[in-house]
Amino acid sequence: MENRRFHFLSVILQIASFFKSWFFPLLLIFVFNFNNDALLWTIARYVALFFIVWSIIEAILTWRTTTYRFEEEQVVLKHGIFSKTRQTIDYDRIQNIQRKTSALHKILGLTTLTLETGATGDDASIELDAIRPEEATEIERKLHAKRKQVPFGPQLPSAQWDMRLSEASEPAIEFTSKEQRTLHFEPTERDTVRATFASLSFFALIPILATLFFKTIDLFKLEDQASRWVDLFSGNWLLITAASIALLLISLVFGLIITYFRFGRFMIESDDERVYIQRGIFSEQSFTMKKKNVQGIQIEQTFLKRLLKLSQIKLISVGKIGDIEQEANSLYPFLPVKKSASLLADILPQFAIQPTLEKLPKSSLWMKLIRLPIFAIIVFIIIHFWGKSYWWGALALFLTYAGRLLEYIFTRYQIDGEHIILKTGAWTTETFITKRDLIIEIEVKRSAFQKMFGLCTVVMTNRSKPIHVHTIQDVPTDFAETFIHWYANRQVETLES
C-alpha cells in the first residue's frame, strides 16, 4: 500500500532516451561542425547545451515526482512535474501484461512492466518504466492471484528489491509454471535463415556502409584517396566481382545476426487461459494475454513471403498489445505456412477453420479495371511538368493494373457458421478471421458504378486498440445481403441467451 518510486537509475534511462532521439542533430552540431565559428552553429551549440542540461534536470524531477502503489482493488500511478496526473486502474480491468527489457535496461538490471486495459483512451495503461525484474515478477504473480480471487502470497522483503545486478535476471511472465504451459513454437536455425531472407535485413548494411564511407571521407579529407580507389576498381571486373561477393557475404552474416538479435529466444507458449510470447536477445520483450480477449486473427503474406511459403499471424485483441513497431502481437512474423495452421489450431482452436472460400465474380474484375488509375495519372502529371521520360508513367500504369488483377485473383470471402473469413490484398494479402459476436459494427455501401455491376463494398469493425476495420471491395450484392442477415441473427442469439 505504500508509495514507491521507480529505481533511481531510471534517470539514466530518460537521459539516454533524450540522446537517442537527438543523436544525429547532436552529432551534426558537436562533431561535424564543432570548429565552425558561424553564428548559426554557435547558437545551435548553446541551444543544444541548454536542452541537454534541461533533460538531466527533467529526468531527476520526473523520478522525484513519480510514484506508484498497489491498493486492495487498484493500482495507482501519480506523475507530473508541474501538472500532476493520477492514473487509477482496477485489477479486474487489466487485460494484457507486457514486459520489455531493452539492452540498457538489462545492463542496469531493470525492466519495464506495462499493464494494459481494454480501453482506448490515453490513460488505458500504466507503465512501470524502471523496476527490478524480480519486483515485476512478483507484481505479475500478485495480479494473477488477485484476478483468480486467491490470497496474495507473502511479500518479498524490501531488501530483495536491491539484489546485485548479476542476480537481476528473472524469468519472464510466471503466471503458471513452465510445467503447466505448452511450448508451441521455438525457431530453428533454418527458420532464422528464412526469416533473414524474408525480412531483407541484410540490405540494411549497404546504406550504413555507404554513409560511413562518405562521412569518413568528409571528416578526414580523404577525397584524393577515394579517387584512387575508384580508379583502381574502374574497369577491373575481377576486383568488382570479388568485392561484390564479399559485400554479399558480409551482408548475409549481418542480416543473420540482426535477425537473431530481434527474434532469438522466441517462444510461443500457452495454457488453458493465456498465450505467452517471449522474444529478443539484447532487447527482451514478453507479454501475456487472455485467449478470450482475442477478437480476430489476421494472417499476412507479403509477395516475398508467398515465394518462401511463410506467413505472419497477428492477434487482434481487446486493448493494446505491446509495441506496434516491435510487432508484439505477432505469433512470429515468419511462420511456415503448414506450421501456421497447426499452431493456430493448438492455441486458438475457435479461429482454426479452413473452409473453401468463394472467388469474386468476373464483373468485379471489370469494376476494378474501369476505375480511374489515380496514382498513374498523378505520376504522368508530375512527369509532364518535370520533363522526365514517360516510361515512368507507363510503369506506374502497369503496376496499378497489375495490382488490381492480383487483387481480383487473391480476394476471397466466406461465411461459415458463426465465423466470417475475408481475404484481401494484391502484393500483400491479409486473411481476417473473426466470429459474429465479436463484430461491433458493419457497413455495406456501393457506388453508382458498383450498382450497375451488382457489386458493393463490405466494411467490418472489431473492438481493439486501435479499432480494427476490415474492408472488402466489389463483392456480389447477394453476399452482402447474406452478410447483413447473418449479422442480424447475432441479436437474436443474444436475446435467446
Side-chain angles (χ1 to χ4, degrees), residues 136-164:
T137 299
E138 182 69 4
I139 290 171
E140 291 167 346
R141 187 185 68 81
K142 288 185 174 183
L143 290 176
H144 178 54
K146 191 67 178 177
R147 289 197 295 268
K148 284 289 190 180
Q149 297 300 314
V150 298
F152 281 4
Q155 285 196 347
L156 293 175
S158 58
Q160 293 191 22
W161 302 130
D162 299 318
M163 296 173 64
R164 297 191 304 271

PDB file of all heavy atoms in Angstrom, residues 136-164:
ATOM      1  N   ALA A 136       8.967  -7.025 -10.818  1.00  0.00           N
ATOM      2  CA  ALA A 136       7.991  -7.192 -11.903  1.00  0.00           C
ATOM      3  C   ALA A 136       7.358  -8.575 -11.849  1.00  0.00           C
ATOM      4  O   ALA A 136       6.143  -8.734 -12.013  1.00  0.00           O
ATOM      5  CB  ALA A 136       8.664  -6.968 -13.251  1.00  0.00           C
ATOM      6  N   THR A 137       8.164  -9.586 -11.595  1.00  0.00           N
ATOM      7  CA  THR A 137       7.641 -10.947 -11.490  1.00  0.00           C
ATOM      8  C   THR A 137       6.669 -11.078 -10.324  1.00  0.00           C
ATOM      9  O   THR A 137       5.614 -11.707 -10.436  1.00  0.00           O
ATOM     10  CB  THR A 137       8.804 -11.944 -11.312  1.00  0.00           C
ATOM     11  OG1 THR A 137       9.664 -11.859 -12.447  1.00  0.00           O
ATOM     12  CG2 THR A 137       8.282 -13.370 -11.183  1.00  0.00           C
ATOM     13  N   GLU A 138       7.002 -10.445  -9.207  1.00  0.00           N
ATOM     14  CA  GLU A 138       6.124 -10.501  -8.038  1.00  0.00           C
ATOM     15  C   GLU A 138       4.810  -9.771  -8.313  1.00  0.00           C
ATOM     16  O   GLU A 138       3.735 -10.225  -7.909  1.00  0.00           O
ATOM     17  CB  GLU A 138       6.842  -9.887  -6.831  1.00  0.00           C
ATOM     18  CG  GLU A 138       6.049  -9.925  -5.527  1.00  0.00           C
ATOM     19  CD  GLU A 138       5.891 -11.338  -4.976  1.00  0.00           C
ATOM     20  OE1 GLU A 138       6.462 -12.273  -5.566  1.00  0.00           O
ATOM     21  OE2 GLU A 138       5.191 -11.490  -3.960  1.00  0.00           O
ATOM     22  N   ILE A 139       4.878  -8.635  -9.006  1.00  0.00           N
ATOM     23  CA  ILE A 139       3.653  -7.893  -9.360  1.00  0.00           C
ATOM     24  C   ILE A 139       2.771  -8.739 -10.256  1.00  0.00           C
ATOM     25  O   ILE A 139       1.547  -8.832 -10.056  1.00  0.00           O
ATOM     26  CB  ILE A 139       4.015  -6.563 -10.042  1.00  0.00           C
ATOM     27  CG1 ILE A 139       4.649  -5.609  -9.019  1.00  0.00           C
ATOM     28  CG2 ILE A 139       2.779  -5.920 -10.666  1.00  0.00           C
ATOM     29  CD1 ILE A 139       5.227  -4.359  -9.648  1.00  0.00           C
ATOM     30  N   GLU A 140       3.370  -9.381 -11.261  1.00  0.00           N
ATOM     31  CA  GLU A 140       2.599 -10.243 -12.169  1.00  0.00           C
ATOM     32  C   GLU A 140       1.923 -11.369 -11.406  1.00  0.00           C
ATOM     33  O   GLU A 140       0.757 -11.700 -11.635  1.00  0.00           O
ATOM     34  CB  GLU A 140       3.523 -10.810 -13.248  1.00  0.00           C
ATOM     35  CG  GLU A 140       4.018  -9.763 -14.226  1.00  0.00           C
ATOM     36  CD  GLU A 140       5.161 -10.283 -15.080  1.00  0.00           C
ATOM     37  OE1 GLU A 140       5.733 -11.338 -14.732  1.00  0.00           O
ATOM     38  OE2 GLU A 140       5.477  -9.648 -16.102  1.00  0.00           O
ATOM     39  N   ARG A 141       2.664 -11.983 -10.495  1.00  0.00           N
ATOM     40  CA  ARG A 141       2.109 -13.094  -9.722  1.00  0.00           C
ATOM     41  C   ARG A 141       0.947 -12.640  -8.851  1.00  0.00           C
ATOM     42  O   ARG A 141      -0.090 -13.303  -8.763  1.00  0.00           O
ATOM     43  CB  ARG A 141       3.209 -13.705  -8.846  1.00  0.00           C
ATOM     44  CG  ARG A 141       2.777 -14.979  -8.115  1.00  0.00           C
ATOM     45  CD  ARG A 141       3.871 -15.446  -7.177  1.00  0.00           C
ATOM     46  NE  ARG A 141       4.059 -14.537  -6.062  1.00  0.00           N
ATOM     47  CZ  ARG A 141       3.299 -14.525  -4.971  1.00  0.00           C
ATOM     48  NH1 ARG A 141       2.280 -15.366  -4.861  1.00  0.00           N
ATOM     49  NH2 ARG A 141       3.542 -13.678  -3.995  1.00  0.00           N
ATOM     50  N   LYS A 142       1.097 -11.460  -8.244  1.00  0.00           N
ATOM     51  CA  LYS A 142       0.043 -10.956  -7.368  1.00  0.00           C
ATOM     52  C   LYS A 142      -1.200 -10.555  -8.160  1.00  0.00           C
ATOM     53  O   LYS A 142      -2.327 -10.799  -7.713  1.00  0.00           O
ATOM     54  CB  LYS A 142       0.563  -9.770  -6.549  1.00  0.00           C
ATOM     55  CG  LYS A 142       1.551 -10.179  -5.459  1.00  0.00           C
ATOM     56  CD  LYS A 142       1.944  -8.990  -4.605  1.00  0.00           C
ATOM     57  CE  LYS A 142       2.825  -9.415  -3.432  1.00  0.00           C
ATOM     58  NZ  LYS A 142       3.159  -8.289  -2.557  1.00  0.00           N
ATOM     59  N   LEU A 143      -0.992  -9.932  -9.321  1.00  0.00           N
ATOM     60  CA  LEU A 143      -2.131  -9.565 -10.147  1.00  0.00           C
ATOM     61  C   LEU A 143      -2.889 -10.793 -10.613  1.00  0.00           C
ATOM     62  O   LEU A 143      -4.124 -10.808 -10.655  1.00  0.00           O
ATOM     63  CB  LEU A 143      -1.677  -8.735 -11.349  1.00  0.00           C
ATOM     64  CG  LEU A 143      -1.188  -7.322 -11.040  1.00  0.00           C
ATOM     65  CD1 LEU A 143      -0.671  -6.646 -12.295  1.00  0.00           C
ATOM     66  CD2 LEU A 143      -2.302  -6.489 -10.420  1.00  0.00           C
ATOM     67  N   HIS A 144      -2.155 -11.819 -10.972  1.00  0.00           N
ATOM     68  CA  HIS A 144      -2.804 -13.061 -11.388  1.00  0.00           C
ATOM     69  C   HIS A 144      -3.579 -13.667 -10.220  1.00  0.00           C
ATOM     70  O   HIS A 144      -4.712 -14.132 -10.372  1.00  0.00           O
ATOM     71  CB  HIS A 144      -1.753 -14.045 -11.888  1.00  0.00           C
ATOM     72  CG  HIS A 144      -2.311 -15.373 -12.304  1.00  0.00           C
ATOM     73  ND1 HIS A 144      -3.327 -15.491 -13.233  1.00  0.00           N
ATOM     74  CD2 HIS A 144      -2.009 -16.638 -11.911  1.00  0.00           C
ATOM     75  CE1 HIS A 144      -3.616 -16.768 -13.410  1.00  0.00           C
ATOM     76  NE2 HIS A 144      -2.833 -17.482 -12.608  1.00  0.00           N
ATOM     77  N   ALA A 145      -2.972 -13.640  -9.034  1.00  0.00           N
ATOM     78  CA  ALA A 145      -3.653 -14.177  -7.864  1.00  0.00           C
ATOM     79  C   ALA A 145      -4.898 -13.368  -7.538  1.00  0.00           C
ATOM     80  O   ALA A 145      -5.939 -13.912  -7.154  1.00  0.00           O
ATOM     81  CB  ALA A 145      -2.697 -14.186  -6.666  1.00  0.00           C
ATOM     82  N   LYS A 146      -4.828 -12.041  -7.723  1.00  0.00           N
ATOM     83  CA  LYS A 146      -5.976 -11.189  -7.428  1.00  0.00           C
ATOM     84  C   LYS A 146      -7.126 -11.486  -8.371  1.00  0.00           C
ATOM     85  O   LYS A 146      -8.296 -11.565  -7.965  1.00  0.00           O
ATOM     86  CB  LYS A 146      -5.555  -9.715  -7.556  1.00  0.00           C
ATOM     87  CG  LYS A 146      -6.601  -8.741  -7.021  1.00  0.00           C
ATOM     88  CD  LYS A 146      -6.758  -8.881  -5.528  1.00  0.00           C
ATOM     89  CE  LYS A 146      -7.759  -7.871  -4.987  1.00  0.00           C
ATOM     90  NZ  LYS A 146      -7.968  -8.061  -3.544  1.00  0.00           N
ATOM     91  N   ARG A 147      -6.803 -11.656  -9.685  1.00  0.00           N
ATOM     92  CA  ARG A 147      -7.864 -11.958 -10.646  1.00  0.00           C
ATOM     93  C   ARG A 147      -8.435 -13.344 -10.421  1.00  0.00           C
ATOM     94  O   ARG A 147      -9.572 -13.624 -10.768  1.00  0.00           O
ATOM     95  CB  ARG A 147      -7.322 -11.820 -12.067  1.00  0.00           C
ATOM     96  CG  ARG A 147      -7.059 -10.377 -12.465  1.00  0.00           C
ATOM     97  CD  ARG A 147      -6.939 -10.254 -13.963  1.00  0.00           C
ATOM     98  NE  ARG A 147      -5.793 -10.970 -14.472  1.00  0.00           N
ATOM     99  CZ  ARG A 147      -4.586 -10.425 -14.645  1.00  0.00           C
ATOM    100  NH1 ARG A 147      -4.408  -9.165 -14.340  1.00  0.00           N
ATOM    101  NH2 ARG A 147      -3.592 -11.116 -15.131  1.00  0.00           N
ATOM    102  N   LYS A 148      -7.633 -14.222  -9.841  1.00  0.00           N
ATOM    103  CA  LYS A 148      -8.120 -15.558  -9.517  1.00  0.00           C
ATOM    104  C   LYS A 148      -8.856 -15.599  -8.183  1.00  0.00           C
ATOM    105  O   LYS A 148      -9.372 -16.634  -7.779  1.00  0.00           O
ATOM    106  CB  LYS A 148      -6.927 -16.538  -9.454  1.00  0.00           C
ATOM    107  CG  LYS A 148      -6.389 -16.933 -10.819  1.00  0.00           C
ATOM    108  CD  LYS A 148      -7.360 -17.835 -11.526  1.00  0.00           C
ATOM    109  CE  LYS A 148      -6.755 -18.442 -12.770  1.00  0.00           C
ATOM    110  NZ  LYS A 148      -7.699 -19.326 -13.473  1.00  0.00           N
ATOM    111  N   GLN A 149      -8.847 -14.431  -7.465  1.00  0.00           N
ATOM    112  CA  GLN A 149      -9.507 -14.337  -6.161  1.00  0.00           C
ATOM    113  C   GLN A 149      -8.926 -15.318  -5.158  1.00  0.00           C
ATOM    114  O   GLN A 149      -9.622 -15.970  -4.395  1.00  0.00           O
ATOM    115  CB  GLN A 149     -11.011 -14.564  -6.298  1.00  0.00           C
ATOM    116  CG  GLN A 149     -11.717 -13.516  -7.139  1.00  0.00           C
ATOM    117  CD  GLN A 149     -11.560 -12.124  -6.567  1.00  0.00           C
ATOM    118  OE1 GLN A 149     -11.722 -11.922  -5.381  1.00  0.00           O
ATOM    119  NE2 GLN A 149     -11.225 -11.166  -7.434  1.00  0.00           N
ATOM    120  N   VAL A 150      -7.583 -15.443  -5.171  1.00  0.00           N
ATOM    121  CA  VAL A 150      -6.904 -16.234  -4.159  1.00  0.00           C
ATOM    122  C   VAL A 150      -6.032 -15.289  -3.358  1.00  0.00           C
ATOM    123  O   VAL A 150      -5.637 -14.225  -3.844  1.00  0.00           O
ATOM    124  CB  VAL A 150      -6.041 -17.351  -4.785  1.00  0.00           C
ATOM    125  CG1 VAL A 150      -6.924 -18.306  -5.565  1.00  0.00           C
ATOM    126  CG2 VAL A 150      -4.959 -16.787  -5.685  1.00  0.00           C
ATOM    127  N   PRO A 151      -5.709 -15.626  -2.096  1.00  0.00           N
ATOM    128  CA  PRO A 151      -4.938 -14.712  -1.265  1.00  0.00           C
ATOM    129  C   PRO A 151      -3.551 -14.441  -1.839  1.00  0.00           C
ATOM    130  O   PRO A 151      -2.956 -15.305  -2.470  1.00  0.00           O
ATOM    131  CB  PRO A 151      -4.844 -15.453   0.082  1.00  0.00           C
ATOM    132  CG  PRO A 151      -5.942 -16.465   0.042  1.00  0.00           C
ATOM    133  CD  PRO A 151      -6.122 -16.847  -1.378  1.00  0.00           C
ATOM    134  N   PHE A 152      -3.073 -13.236  -1.622  1.00  0.00           N
ATOM    135  CA  PHE A 152      -1.716 -12.913  -2.032  1.00  0.00           C
ATOM    136  C   PHE A 152      -0.747 -13.726  -1.203  1.00  0.00           C
ATOM    137  O   PHE A 152      -0.941 -13.984  -0.012  1.00  0.00           O
ATOM    138  CB  PHE A 152      -1.416 -11.423  -1.810  1.00  0.00           C
ATOM    139  CG  PHE A 152      -1.983 -10.539  -2.871  1.00  0.00           C
ATOM    140  CD1 PHE A 152      -2.775 -11.045  -3.883  1.00  0.00           C
ATOM    141  CD2 PHE A 152      -1.687  -9.184  -2.862  1.00  0.00           C
ATOM    142  CE1 PHE A 152      -3.282 -10.216  -4.860  1.00  0.00           C
ATOM    143  CE2 PHE A 152      -2.196  -8.346  -3.840  1.00  0.00           C
ATOM    144  CZ  PHE A 152      -2.991  -8.874  -4.833  1.00  0.00           C
ATOM    145  N   GLY A 153       0.337 -14.112  -1.841  1.00  0.00           N
ATOM    146  CA  GLY A 153       1.387 -14.783  -1.105  1.00  0.00           C
ATOM    147  C   GLY A 153       2.175 -13.784  -0.291  1.00  0.00           C
ATOM    148  O   GLY A 153       1.963 -12.576  -0.372  1.00  0.00           O
ATOM    149  N   PRO A 154       3.135 -14.252   0.474  1.00  0.00           N
ATOM    150  CA  PRO A 154       3.947 -13.335   1.279  1.00  0.00           C
ATOM    151  C   PRO A 154       4.773 -12.419   0.391  1.00  0.00           C
ATOM    152  O   PRO A 154       5.268 -12.829  -0.652  1.00  0.00           O
ATOM    153  CB  PRO A 154       4.848 -14.288   2.088  1.00  0.00           C
ATOM    154  CG  PRO A 154       4.891 -15.544   1.268  1.00  0.00           C
ATOM    155  CD  PRO A 154       3.545 -15.648   0.620  1.00  0.00           C
ATOM    156  N   GLN A 155       4.884 -11.178   0.791  1.00  0.00           N
ATOM    157  CA  GLN A 155       5.651 -10.216   0.011  1.00  0.00           C
ATOM    158  C   GLN A 155       7.135 -10.528   0.131  1.00  0.00           C
ATOM    159  O   GLN A 155       7.621 -11.015   1.146  1.00  0.00           O
ATOM    160  CB  GLN A 155       5.411  -8.794   0.502  1.00  0.00           C
ATOM    161  CG  GLN A 155       4.072  -8.244   0.074  1.00  0.00           C
ATOM    162  CD  GLN A 155       4.058  -6.741   0.238  1.00  0.00           C
ATOM    163  OE1 GLN A 155       4.931  -6.182   0.881  1.00  0.00           O
ATOM    164  NE2 GLN A 155       3.071  -6.104  -0.362  1.00  0.00           N
ATOM    165  N   LEU A 156       7.849 -10.206  -0.952  1.00  0.00           N
ATOM    166  CA  LEU A 156       9.293 -10.314  -0.886  1.00  0.00           C
ATOM    167  C   LEU A 156       9.825  -9.232   0.035  1.00  0.00           C
ATOM    168  O   LEU A 156       9.333  -8.108   0.024  1.00  0.00           O
ATOM    169  CB  LEU A 156       9.902 -10.145  -2.279  1.00  0.00           C
ATOM    170  CG  LEU A 156       9.593 -11.254  -3.288  1.00  0.00           C
ATOM    171  CD1 LEU A 156      10.176 -10.865  -4.641  1.00  0.00           C
ATOM    172  CD2 LEU A 156      10.167 -12.576  -2.835  1.00  0.00           C
ATOM    173  N   PRO A 157      10.815  -9.534   0.844  1.00  0.00           N
ATOM    174  CA  PRO A 157      11.411  -8.491   1.685  1.00  0.00           C
ATOM    175  C   PRO A 157      11.950  -7.369   0.826  1.00  0.00           C
ATOM    176  O   PRO A 157      12.403  -7.584  -0.291  1.00  0.00           O
ATOM    177  CB  PRO A 157      12.549  -9.239   2.406  1.00  0.00           C
ATOM    178  CG  PRO A 157      12.175 -10.689   2.320  1.00  0.00           C
ATOM    179  CD  PRO A 157      11.408 -10.851   1.043  1.00  0.00           C
ATOM    180  N   SER A 158      11.866  -6.147   1.380  1.00  0.00           N
ATOM    181  CA  SER A 158      12.297  -4.990   0.600  1.00  0.00           C
ATOM    182  C   SER A 158      13.762  -5.097   0.207  1.00  0.00           C
ATOM    183  O   SER A 158      14.189  -4.559  -0.810  1.00  0.00           O
ATOM    184  CB  SER A 158      12.074  -3.708   1.399  1.00  0.00           C
ATOM    185  OG  SER A 158      12.792  -3.772   2.634  1.00  0.00           O
ATOM    186  N   ALA A 159      14.546  -5.793   0.993  1.00  0.00           N
ATOM    187  CA  ALA A 159      15.960  -5.930   0.658  1.00  0.00           C
ATOM    188  C   ALA A 159      16.164  -6.689  -0.638  1.00  0.00           C
ATOM    189  O   ALA A 159      17.162  -6.513  -1.336  1.00  0.00           O
ATOM    190  CB  ALA A 159      16.709  -6.651   1.794  1.00  0.00           C
ATOM    191  N   GLN A 160      15.197  -7.565  -0.954  1.00  0.00           N
ATOM    192  CA  GLN A 160      15.348  -8.356  -2.168  1.00  0.00           C
ATOM    193  C   GLN A 160      15.158  -7.524  -3.423  1.00  0.00           C
ATOM    194  O   GLN A 160      15.512  -7.956  -4.517  1.00  0.00           O
ATOM    195  CB  GLN A 160      14.359  -9.520  -2.170  1.00  0.00           C
ATOM    196  CG  GLN A 160      14.660 -10.550  -1.086  1.00  0.00           C
ATOM    197  CD  GLN A 160      13.843 -11.815  -1.282  1.00  0.00           C
ATOM    198  OE1 GLN A 160      13.390 -12.107  -2.372  1.00  0.00           O
ATOM    199  NE2 GLN A 160      13.655 -12.556  -0.207  1.00  0.00           N
ATOM    200  N   TRP A 161      14.560  -6.311  -3.298  1.00  0.00           N
ATOM    201  CA  TRP A 161      14.433  -5.461  -4.481  1.00  0.00           C
ATOM    202  C   TRP A 161      15.800  -4.906  -4.899  1.00  0.00           C
ATOM    203  O   TRP A 161      15.948  -4.370  -5.988  1.00  0.00           O
ATOM    204  CB  TRP A 161      13.488  -4.290  -4.222  1.00  0.00           C
ATOM    205  CG  TRP A 161      12.113  -4.654  -3.811  1.00  0.00           C
ATOM    206  CD1 TRP A 161      11.425  -4.156  -2.746  1.00  0.00           C
ATOM    207  CD2 TRP A 161      11.231  -5.579  -4.446  1.00  0.00           C
ATOM    208  NE1 TRP A 161      10.181  -4.713  -2.680  1.00  0.00           N
ATOM    209  CE2 TRP A 161      10.031  -5.596  -3.715  1.00  0.00           C
ATOM    210  CE3 TRP A 161      11.340  -6.429  -5.552  1.00  0.00           C
ATOM    211  CZ2 TRP A 161       8.952  -6.392  -4.036  1.00  0.00           C
ATOM    212  CZ3 TRP A 161      10.262  -7.236  -5.890  1.00  0.00           C
ATOM    213  CH2 TRP A 161       9.091  -7.212  -5.133  1.00  0.00           C
ATOM    214  N   ASP A 162      16.782  -4.985  -4.011  1.00  0.00           N
ATOM    215  CA  ASP A 162      18.093  -4.406  -4.287  1.00  0.00           C
ATOM    216  C   ASP A 162      19.156  -5.484  -4.467  1.00  0.00           C
ATOM    217  O   ASP A 162      20.279  -5.378  -3.991  1.00  0.00           O
ATOM    218  CB  ASP A 162      18.517  -3.464  -3.150  1.00  0.00           C
ATOM    219  CG  ASP A 162      17.541  -2.318  -2.988  1.00  0.00           C
ATOM    220  OD1 ASP A 162      17.114  -1.781  -4.024  1.00  0.00           O
ATOM    221  OD2 ASP A 162      17.216  -1.973  -1.846  1.00  0.00           O
ATOM    222  N   MET A 163      18.791  -6.549  -5.143  1.00  0.00           N
ATOM    223  CA  MET A 163      19.744  -7.610  -5.430  1.00  0.00           C
ATOM    224  C   MET A 163      20.838  -7.093  -6.352  1.00  0.00           C
ATOM    225  O   MET A 163      20.687  -6.099  -7.033  1.00  0.00           O
ATOM    226  CB  MET A 163      19.033  -8.806  -6.091  1.00  0.00           C
ATOM    227  CG  MET A 163      18.008  -9.466  -5.191  1.00  0.00           C
ATOM    228  SD  MET A 163      17.071 -10.710  -6.094  1.00  0.00           S
ATOM    229  CE  MET A 163      18.369 -11.872  -6.470  1.00  0.00           C
ATOM    230  N   ARG A 164      21.979  -7.782  -6.351  1.00  0.00           N
ATOM    231  CA  ARG A 164      23.069  -7.388  -7.240  1.00  0.00           C
ATOM    232  C   ARG A 164      22.631  -7.511  -8.685  1.00  0.00           C
ATOM    233  O   ARG A 164      21.802  -8.329  -9.045  1.00  0.00           O
ATOM    234  CB  ARG A 164      24.288  -8.273  -6.986  1.00  0.00           C
ATOM    235  CG  ARG A 164      24.866  -8.134  -5.572  1.00  0.00           C
ATOM    236  CD  ARG A 164      26.207  -8.826  -5.469  1.00  0.00           C
ATOM    237  NE  ARG A 164      26.129 -10.215  -5.862  1.00  0.00           N
ATOM    238  CZ  ARG A 164      25.839 -11.205  -5.033  1.00  0.00           C
ATOM    239  NH1 ARG A 164      25.584 -10.937  -3.769  1.00  0.00           N
ATOM    240  NH2 ARG A 164      25.808 -12.444  -5.449  1.00  0.00           N
TER     241      ARG A 164
END
